[in-house]
Amino acid sequence: MEIYSTDDIIYALATPWGTGALSVIRVSGQGCIDMLSSVFKSRKKLTSVSSGTAVYGSLVNGKDIIDNCIATVWKDGHGYTGEDAVELSCHGGLQTVEAVLEFLPTLGMRQASRGEFSLRAFLHGKMDLTRAEAVRELIDSRSESARATALGRLEGNLEKQIRAVRDDILNVMGTVEVQLDYAEDETEPDIEFPVQTVRTAVESLNAIRATYRTGKLYGQGARIVLAGAVNAGKSSLFNRMLREERSIVSSREGTTRDFIEAQCVIDGIPVRLYDTAGLRDSSDDIEEEGIRRSRLLFEQADVILWLADPQNPVRDSAIENDPRCICVATKSDVSDKDIEGFLSFSSVTGKGYDELCRAISAKLREGLPPVPEGTLVIQSARQKECLDRACQALEETLEHVEEGLSLDIVSIDIREALDALGELTGEVTTDDILENIFSNFCVGK
Ligand SMILES: Nc1nc2c(ncn2[C@@H]2O[C@H](COP(=O)(O)OP(=O)(O)O)[C@@H](O)[C@H]2O)c(=O)[nH]1
Ligand SMILES: [Mg+2]
């Protein structure tokens, strides 16, 4: 596949596409410093400065100055990608950025594909797969906690822990292999199998595995669906959660005909929130379609907020008994009635809102194992799958040793565990894995 070649010089906008004080355009690949040096007018030539130097100058197209900018030069593989690289800090206007991005390909470089900078960094041994994934997770993070845990993985914490376990298991493998060699001439006495090392490895891997559902919750977020009869107060609650007038609030029945989706953060958890059409039989085709879609949303919801107005409560025992459901009695400012088992809330005064958020957060975290502070957290299904395989193989190792099976069989188990751990950090990899990770996030425009 073309994207695995590192021969081309590539460029991409590294900052968001928009107006800011500065925009950074990153250029990478062998020969890129020479190439840019010929069109960058400055007191010191880009080719003559040492790596890590920032040079002020003008990017020129013949006699025309495209922009005055600062070029930071990375030589001898010191760039992010492990190749020669230049970072151009230009003025931030879209006009300027567009002019630079149009000019660069005329020099013979090409726009990077999605994720290509990180792919090159990985291919040049600048980062392992867990870090490459962390780059994507960082870019995609929708809450502070997701950002913080992705940063931890980017710093290489996961890689370090996995490598430590892998080194221990490699030692175990070494012990087994020595025994297998000696077994042939049967002159050496049996060495005791290092059961405790394997047990400790399983414990370490299990501790990381156990964080997956929490990491996924804080990283990828949850879906919350607002449901209840027309006029129950769904859109009013929706707007409060978003702190804006996003959904039309009206006392006319059937105002919210389809569902409306928005994002917010509740207790550090990124949430996709859906305001749905009221559930009632309708003769209106369009509204009926809206109601049908609401039912679909229900199936995918992590939490359903079932709202009822105590003055005119519409109940639905199927939904209320759903384990994902939190029941809310609305309009508490105008009614002194409670509904048993319902939280009480008013969108006019905001009373009950904090309790509701706490209930939502508790429901989303229900059944998750505790994650002690400072624990490394994972959120990638790929990483979790590698850990599952490694743990299973190591548990089988222990069982087979206990059953007294031959070391040939035990060494197959250990090899399987080593492969799974190697896959996790990218020491063992396939095109499929790479494509999955690197085509998914965007470094360029
Ligand atoms: N007094 C009061 N009125 C509310 C409250 N929540 C909603 N309403 C009113 O109830 C009507 C229906 O609200 P809406 O949020 O559109 O309900 P939906 O059909 O479930 O989306 C509107 O007139 C709202 O102003 C509340 O907490 N207190
Ligand atoms: Mg509504």
Side-chain angles (χ1 to χ4, degrees), residues 237-249:
L237 173 58
F238 182 82
N239 289 338
R240 172 161 283 269
M241 291 170 96
L242 300 179
R243 296 186 173 81
E244 61 174 311
E245 298 296 313
R246 171 75 190 274
S247 187
I248 312 155
V249 177

Side-chain angles (χ1 to χ4, degrees), residues 228-285:
V230 171
N231 263 341
K234 299 179 292 297
S235 299
S236 304
L237 173 58
F238 182 82
N239 289 338
R240 172 161 283 269
M241 291 170 96
L242 300 179
R243 296 186 173 81
E244 61 174 311
E245 298 296 313
R246 171 75 190 274
S247 187
I248 312 155
V249 177
S250 145
S251 55
R252 233 184 74 216
E253 293 201 343
T255 305
T256 312
R257 293 186 156 206
D258 201 343
F259 63 79
I260 300 176
E261 183 188 342
Q263 297 189 23
C264 63
V265 175
I266 293 178
D267 202 13
I269 303 168
V271 162
R272 261 178 221 290
L273 195 62
Y274 297 89
D275 183 15
T276 63
L279 289 178
R280 64 176 182 144
D281 292 327
S282 169
S283 50
D284 181 333
D285 281 351

Side-chain angles (χ1 to χ4, degrees), residues 3-295:
I3 103 163
Y4 298 127
S5 145
T6 57
D7 300 339
D8 296 351
I9 296 175
I10 54 173
Y11 67 89
L13 180 65
T15 42
W17 181 251
T19 309
L22 291 174
S23 287
V24 176
I25 292 157
R26 200 186 254 163
V27 179
S28 181
Q30 227 44 53
C32 74
I33 300 171
D34 282 328
M35 193 181 266
L36 280 175
S37 180
S38 63
V39 290
F40 194 79
K41 296 278 167 274
S42 52
R43 276 181 42 214
K44 281 188 182 165
K45 275 182 85 70
L46 296 184
T47 43
S48 66
V49 299
S50 54
S51 183
T53 309
V55 182
Y56 178 76
S58 315
L59 191 65
V60 294
N61 182 5
K63 287 198 187 98
D64 297 335
I65 294 181
I66 300 171
D67 192 26
N68 294 323
C69 43
I70 290 176
T72 310
V73 180
W74 301 100
K75 294 183 174 169
D76 310 320
H78 287 301
Y80 171 78
T81 50
E83 300 172 334
D84 284 358
V86 177
E87 280 163 19
L88 292 170
S89 296
C90 310
H91 289 101
L94 287 180
Q95 236 58 11
T96 309
V97 171
E98 245 165 18
V100 177
L101 292 180
E102 271 169 28
F103 175 59
L104 295 179
T106 66
L107 302 175
M109 46 181 93
R110 69 168 168 82
Q111 165 109 32
S113 316
R114 283 160 75 87
E116 197 169 3
F117 279 91
S118 297
L119 172 69
R120 286 194 178 188
F122 170 70
L123 292 176
H124 291 127
K126 275 272 170 174
M127 58 164 81
D128 77 307
L129 270 192
T130 66
R131 284 192 185 76
E133 271 172 302
V135 172
R136 184 184 75 209
E137 289 159 359
L138 200 62
I139 292 171
D140 289 346
S141 60
R142 291 192 281 132
S143 74
E144 177 49 33
S145 46
R147 197 190 68 82
T149 61
L151 213 52
R153 288 185 296 273
L154 187 59
E155 282 162 3
N157 298 339
L158 178 58
E159 191 207 359
K160 274 182 220 134
Q161 287 194 21
I162 298 300
R163 271 195 208 281
V165 172
R166 194 158 185 264
D167 287 348
D168 288 346
I169 300 301
L170 275 170
N171 282 334
V172 174
M173 190 63 166
T175 314
V176 169
E177 273 168 355
V178 166
Q179 288 228 48
L180 282 173
D181 287 346
Y182 278 120
E184 279 164 18
D185 41 28
E186 282 177 47
T187 50
E188 281 290 305
D190 277 356
I191 307 163
E192 190 136 358
F193 184 86
V195 171
Q196 197 46 48
T197 310
V198 178
R199 280 206 191 111
T200 310
V202 172
E203 274 165 27
S204 314
L205 298 181
N206 272 336
I208 305 173
R209 270 170 92 200
T211 66
Y212 171 63
R213 282 168 56 215
T214 304
K216 196 168 152 230
L217 176 65
Y218 284 89
Q220 292 162 34
R223 289 162 180 264
I224 300 184
V225 174
L226 294 175
V230 171
N231 263 341
K234 299 179 292 297
S235 299
S236 304
L237 173 58
F238 182 82
N239 289 338
R240 172 161 283 269
M241 291 170 96
L242 300 179
R243 296 186 173 81
E244 61 174 311
E245 298 296 313
R246 171 75 190 274
S247 187
I248 312 155
V249 177
S250 145
S251 55
R252 233 184 74 216
E253 293 201 343
T255 305
T256 312
R257 293 186 156 206
D258 201 343
F259 63 79
I260 300 176
E261 183 188 342
Q263 297 189 23
C264 63
V265 175
I266 293 178
D267 202 13
I269 303 168
V271 162
R272 261 178 221 290
L273 195 62
Y274 297 89
D275 183 15
T276 63
L279 289 178
R280 64 176 182 144
D281 292 327
S282 169
S283 50
D284 181 333
D285 281 351
I286 302 173
E287 193 175 328
E288 218 162 291
E289 175 58 18
I291 292 167
R292 192 189 67 78
R293 293 219 220 164
S294 307
R295 288 205 186 276

